[in-house]
Amino acid sequence: MLETMKRNKILTYAFLMAIPMTTGNIFSSCTDDFENLNTSNIQVDPADLPFAAQCTEPMTYCYPPQQNMFQFWTNLTIDLYGGYFMTPNGNFTNGDMGENRGHSGGMYENYYLHIFNNTRRIIAQCDASGERGLSGVMRIVQAYGTLMTTDAYGPIPYSSILSGENEVYFEFDSQKDLYKAMLEDLSTAITDISAMGADEIAKLKSFDCWCNGDKNLWVKIANTMKLRMALRLSKRETEAGNAGMNLKAIATEAAQNTLATVNKDILIDKSLENEMWLMFNWGDCGFNANLVTIMSGTKDPRQPLYMTLNTGDIKNEAGTTTVAANSQYLGIRFASGLPAKPNSWGNFSGWIQGNNGSSYSMPLPIMKAAEAYFLLAEAKLRWDIGSESVKNLYENGIRVSMTNELAYRGAYAGIKEYPEGAVDAYINGTSTQIDYTDPIKAELSTPAVNKLSVKWDESASNEEKLERIITQKWLALFPLSTEGWAEQRRTGYPRFFPAFVNESNGAVNTEEGVRRVIYSSQAYDANAKGVEGGIKLLDQENSSKFGISGDKGGTHLWWDNADKGNF
């Protein structure tokens, strides 16, 4: 009887969170109704799996290694909004700000099925057994997933699921409360992981695809996340302080032991499939003009590590070839009003493929060490934390990114080293973003919007210094769109090209762009009362200056405070 009750509770969580078990075919894209993805009616109790398997799932699904979930997770929403990618397929209406609830639930579903559904159970289990170091590791993974999800949607169900008090619906938490809970969990994790003994470390090594059992590296991840979160809340510093989050104190403590002390990227290198290549292969993904024109204009040595030249001849609307194959780096302007695939925009720059014709085995990226340097640079600029100069932190962040990206992506791009002097030339460069010229449809062309060069200027204002820091952080974070988009919304940097079309029917302001991902129709169907309360919390934390509110893409999250500037 107890076993039946246990399984019923698992079913309740799964169905209320509206999470389907998806399957897919490698030869075809999930381009139709994501609401009708294949759903299994056979539910497995995750606790019946080996402990290592239970822990591996939430870790790997922080960058989903399954094709349908990967596309649903960010490639139809956040990848487009964050400035790195853009779809050449006009059928994907989020690319024109035409909000599609059926394409907006991937982050939500991935989090509740693959991450939170596992971490919350493992944390409770390990706390009960006295293995607090292992529960600390899962607290970090849980905070990582929670941060991505709240930074996409705003309020989400959290404490009501942990408490288990209500199995009819799940109440949402405000973003303020979510940040406080995550910061507390990360502090607990640091304490407990630091105290891990040999037996727990041996058990950790059996599943640790992030740090290979290195407990000190886990502490550095947690501190980097705390520093990231403290700066994320910089436009809510007073309110955060009133809620018990002293941002400067949090940042000061975290800054002492981040990933910048080891210069190591966190990558999952377990021969799992990196599904980004497949998004390009399906013809559903291309590069965004924002990324391409910034890298081209500043002569960024990482550009051939990130993307190929155009993959085919480009013909304009009159049928004339305007760009021969393999001759230019070309990106697609966001919200261009493109036709359905196939079209010539699908021949723009592609994903690096490698000598074997596919980069499917490229390690899955979780965190970049260079980010820590740019966090430290802003912490020094904003709060005078640390003894190293902002300039040194900024330039070292660029150098670490250059080194690590070459090590990470070089073999897939066929590049063993940068041209001699290229990195120094980039750091001291004075060129800027180039104008966007669309070789197919001239009306889509638009002037450059980023006017600062890479070279540091000590005499510049704090605002211009921040713009340089965030722009370089954004470039170093690639392809982690969730974090890149969050920082762009928080600071406004780098500046993005304005949308050419806006199909949101007033739900998104054209000048501001998309501020959040809307809740999916599945979330409404499965947890209507919870969503209703979540929208009330969203409105309470909203600061839109354009009268946009409710579950819309133009509504601001709590930390995205339109009433306050960067300083």
Side-chain angles (χ1 to χ4, degrees):
M1 181 65 179
L2 287 176
E3 189 65 23
T4 300
M5 291 174 64
K6 181 180 178 184
R7 291 183 183 277
N8 284 343
K9 191 163 189 175
I10 293 167
L11 288 169
T12 300
Y13 281 123
F15 286 121
L16 280 177
M17 288 300 97
I19 305 163
M21 294 292 290
T22 61
T23 61
N25 187 315
I26 196 168
F27 299 109
S28 63
S29 162
C30 268
T31 58
D32 298 317
D33 187 359
F34 279 91
E35 303 282 343
N36 294 320
L37 282 173
N38 295 325
T39 302
S40 169
N41 59 4
I42 302 173
Q43 300 294 326
V44 177
D45 183 349
D48 289 343
L49 298 173
F51 182 76
Q54 295 180 46
C55 296
T56 299
E57 181 176 344
M59 296 172 72
T60 56
Y61 272 83
C62 286
Y63 197 88
Q66 197 280 337
Q67 58 192 254
N68 299 128
M69 182 54 80
F70 184 91
Q71 186 174 40
F72 196 20
W73 174 57
T74 58
N75 202 241
L76 298 178
T77 50
I78 297 169
D79 281 347
L80 315 182
Y81 306 151
Y84 295 148
F85 304 102
M86 177 55 193
T87 179
N89 186 352
N91 284 338
F92 290 161
T93 57
N94 283 336
D96 290 330
M97 299 195 289
E99 299 173 308
N100 185 332
R101 293 199 185 278
H103 288 185
S104 297
M107 174 68 72
Y108 189 96
E109 296 185 11
N110 183 65
Y111 170 67
Y112 285 108
L113 174 61
H114 295 294
I115 301 175
F116 193 42
N117 189 43
N118 288 292
T119 54
R120 64 180 179 83
R121 186 191 66 259
I122 298 168
I123 290 167
Q125 175 185 331
C126 290
D127 280 351
S129 66
E131 297 173 301
R132 301 229 6 132
L134 294 176
S135 61
V137 167
M138 286 296 106
R139 281 187 168 91
I140 294 173
V141 175
Q142 181 168 284
Y144 184 98
T146 305
L147 183 63
M148 286 195 295
T149 308
T150 183
D151 284 352
Y153 299 99
I156 57 172
Y158 187 78
S159 61
S160 61
I161 298 175
L162 292 175
S163 71
E165 294 176 358
N166 190 343
E167 295 186 8
V168 177
Y169 75 98
F170 293 124
E171 294 180 351
F172 282 49
D173 292 81
S174 69
Q175 189 165 72
K176 179 177 69 176
D177 289 344
L178 288 162
Y179 263 73
K180 186 175 182 180
M182 287 185 286
L183 286 166
E184 289 172 352
D185 264 354
L186 290 170
S187 294
T188 299
I190 289 169
T191 299
D192 292 341
I193 292 172
S194 298
M196 286 180 82
D199 289 345
E200 275 195 272
I201 292 174
K203 197 169 183 179
L204 173 63
K205 287 181 178 179
S206 72
F207 65 81
D208 186 3
C209 57
W210 285 20
C211 303
N212 295 315
D214 186 342
K215 73 173 189 177
N216 296 320
L217 193 54
W218 277 103
V219 171
K220 296 177 193 300
I221 291 174
N223 277 316
T224 305
M225 288 181 63
K226 289 180 70 174
L227 184 55
R228 174 197 284 182
M229 292 167 67
L231 289 166
R232 182 70 39 77
L233 299 184
S234 59
K235 290 185 177 181
R236 291 288 188 184
E237 188 168 3
T238 300
E239 297 94 323
N242 292 338
M245 294 176 280
N246 183 324
L247 301 185
K248 183 177 179 180
I250 292 168
T252 300
E253 181 181 26
Q256 298 175 36
N257 188 19
T258 69
L259 289 172
T261 63
V262 290
N263 295 345
K264 181 178 176 59
D265 290 351
I266 305 302
L267 307 170
I268 299 176
D269 191 4
K270 297 294 182 181
S271 298
L272 296 171
E273 187 164 350
N274 187 322
E275 304 292 4
M276 187 59 81
W277 79 274
L278 192 54
M279 305 301 104
F280 280 79
N281 182 270
W282 280 342
D284 290 335
C285 190
F287 279 94
N288 195 300
N290 291 293
L291 178 67
V292 175
T293 54
I294 290 174
M295 297 191 90
S296 294
T298 57
K299 302 176 178 61
D300 194 320
R302 293 166 294 192
Q303 191 162 18
L305 295 173
Y306 285 14
M307 64 190 72
T308 71
L309 298 168
N310 59 300
T311 59
D313 289 343
I314 308 299
K315 296 182 178 181
N316 62 19
E317 293 181 305
T320 302
T321 298
T322 55
V323 181
N326 300 309
S327 59
Q328 290 186 29
Y329 291 111
L330 293 174
I332 306 168
R333 181 178 175 182
F334 177 66
S336 289
L338 302 186
K341 68 175 185 180
N343 55 55
S344 278
W345 285 277
N347 290 337
F348 282 18
S349 290
W351 191 248
I352 56 173
Q353 293 296 299
N355 295 330
N356 61 359
S358 171
S359 54
Y360 67 88
S361 61
M362 182 184 291
L364 313 182
I366 299 297
M367 292 188 78
K368 303 292 187 73
E371 179 195 357
Y373 282 91
F374 297 117
L375 292 170
L376 291 167
E378 184 181 349
K380 178 66 174 178
L381 180 68
R382 183 177 297 281
W383 292 315
D384 195 24
I385 293 173
S387 58
E388 193 166 357
S389 71
V390 179
K391 177 179 183 290
N392 283 348
L393 291 164
Y394 169 79
E395 293 182 349
N396 286 339
I398 297 173
R399 293 187 187 280
V400 168
S401 177
M402 294 285 177
T403 299
N404 288 2
E405 291 301 333
L406 183 62
Y408 173 35
R409 309 173 73 86
Y412 298 97
I415 298 174
K416 294 183 178 180
E417 60 185 4
Y418 296 117
E420 185 176 357
V423 175
D424 285 337
Y426 177 75
I427 290 173
N428 293 301
T430 57
S431 60
T432 60
Q433 179 185 33
I434 59 173
D435 295 341
Y436 176 63
T437 301
D438 192 291
I440 301 173
K441 188 174 181 178
E443 300 97 305
L444 297 177
S445 301
T446 189
V449 291
N450 294 283
K451 304 299 183 182
L452 294 184
S453 64
V454 177
K455 186 176 181 179
W456 187 256
D457 181 0
E458 192 60 42
S459 66
S461 65
N462 279 357
E463 191 67 41
E464 288 191 346
K465 289 177 179 177
L466 181 67
E467 181 174 355
R468 283 190 166 92
I469 292 168
I470 301 300
T471 299
Q472 287 303 317
K473 184 203 286 190
W474 180 80
L475 289 165
L477 284 166
F478 176 86
L480 298 173
S481 293
T482 51
E483 189 59 26
W485 183 41
E487 285 298 86
Q488 199 281 333
R489 285 176 288 162
R490 175 177 72 95
T491 64
Y493 304 128
R495 294 177 174 87
F496 286 170
F497 291 125
F500 183 71
V501 299
N502 183 345
E503 301 296 338
S504 72
N505 294 317
V508 178
N509 176 266
T510 300
E511 180 182 345
E512 277 198 324
V514 180
R515 312 309 296 184
R516 60 178 290 274
V517 180
I518 59 175
Y519 299 122
S520 72
S521 51
Q522 283 187 329
Y524 279 89
D525 292 342
N527 190 22
K529 189 173 181 180
V531 172
E532 180 183 357
I535 295 171
K536 289 180 180 177
L537 292 172
L538 179 66
D539 283 339
Q540 290 169 12
E541 296 183 332
N542 176 35
S543 59
S544 171
K545 292 184 176 299
F546 297 96
I548 299 172
S549 63
D551 186 17
K552 298 174 185 173
T555 303
H556 283 236
L557 306 185
W558 181 58
W559 52 254
D560 184 15
N561 187 0
D563 296 323
K564 194 176 190 307
N566 286 316
F567 293 98

